[in-house]
Amino acid sequence: MPDSYLVPVPYDYAVLRMDKECPPGGYKFRRHHDTEDHNNDNATIGNFSPSVIGKDADLEYCFMPATPGATNDFPIQHFGAYGVLGTFHRDTIRYTQILVDDEDTKNANSWYWYGQDNNTALIARIKKLVSDKGGKDTYYSFTWKNPFWDKLGGAAPALAEKNTDKPAAAEVKGFNHSTVAFEVKSAGIATVTVSDLNGAVVAKVTTDYLQPGTHRVEWHRTQRRDQRKERNPEVKQGRNSLF
């Protein structure tokens, strides 16, 4: 995406770096993910430079500081649905947090700051968007906008379910499982639906009876649609939740 599509906004954000340098005013940084040591099948489809996916994953980003007084509500004005690393949210700007479960044993996650190692204020701002929270995993905060949803008053459009039992063809094999956070307003059974970018439903995970509150569920690549998780040990609440 050309730099001209990135406009000033009044909050910090970051984007995946796909060029040698960041746009003017941006700061490069790298997050090294120490992924699975045994039977690792990390992979990419298509160009991902300068990020590198091999035995581990090195993801390159550009941090774009807030511009005081900017009136734009989102840094990408090009028509379409986009997300950036950020924590800003309001009625038409959504917020999502993703947990990447990295290697548990001898974890070697790390950061590279491209000469900004002593800029503690800058690093603190970046770690509000990408954080290890003092542990072995990585938490990504996303701010995202979909103009189609704006026209619907903030309601998500329904996705047509396709008749398929296969995982998404374009999945990145290194991410064998994902953690999804969700909130239950009233007690009951919840169903989490996993869809690919084309809207095809690739899995449904049904929980046991849950109490009101925030929960998280882990979906594994090997799970298939409508798979019920009896006595689900991977649905967690309270202090173990993402939020």
Side-chain angles (χ1 to χ4, degrees), residues 67-80:
T67 301
T71 58
N72 299 298
D73 66 348
F74 198 70
I76 301 174
Q77 298 295 301
H78 185 64
F79 185 79

Side-chain angles (χ1 to χ4, degrees), residues 139-229:
Y139 295 79
Y140 284 90
S141 296
F142 285 93
T143 290
W144 55 281
K145 183 177 184 179
N146 187 330
F148 296 106
W149 290 25
D150 296 349
K151 294 179 180 179
L152 295 173
L159 295 177
E161 181 171 342
K162 297 182 180 180
N163 184 22
T164 176
D165 256 356
K166 298 180 180 180
E171 76 177 15
V172 179
K173 295 182 179 179
F175 292 88
N176 291 336
H177 55 276
S178 300
T179 301
V180 179
F182 60 97
E183 183 178 1
V184 177
K185 297 292 185 181
S186 57
I189 294 174
T191 299
V192 178
T193 302
V194 181
S195 304
D196 65 16
L197 294 177
N198 297 318
V201 176
V202 297
K204 285 186 179 180
V205 181
T206 303
T207 71
D208 288 328
Y209 195 86
L210 299 177
Q211 295 299 320
T214 303
H215 304 263
R216 77 181 191 191
V217 62
E218 293 182 0
W219 168 70
H220 292 261
R221 174 173 81 188
T222 55
Q223 289 175 220
R224 293 294 183 267
R225 296 170 56 241
D226 298 320
Q227 176 176 350
R228 181 173 180 78
K229 301 181 68 62

Side-chain angles (χ1 to χ4, degrees), residues 103-134:
E103 176 65 34
D104 292 331
T105 305
K106 298 181 179 180
N107 182 284
N109 284 354
S110 62
W111 305 87
Y112 188 71
W113 302 111
Y114 289 93
Q116 299 294 327
D117 302 70
N118 296 324
N119 193 338
T120 56
L122 175 68
I123 292 173
R125 290 167 69 176
I126 291 175
K127 287 191 174 182
K128 289 182 179 180
L129 313 181
V130 184
S131 174
D132 54 17
K133 296 188 177 181

Side-chain angles (χ1 to χ4, degrees), residues 36 44 75 167:
E36 180 64 43
T44 58

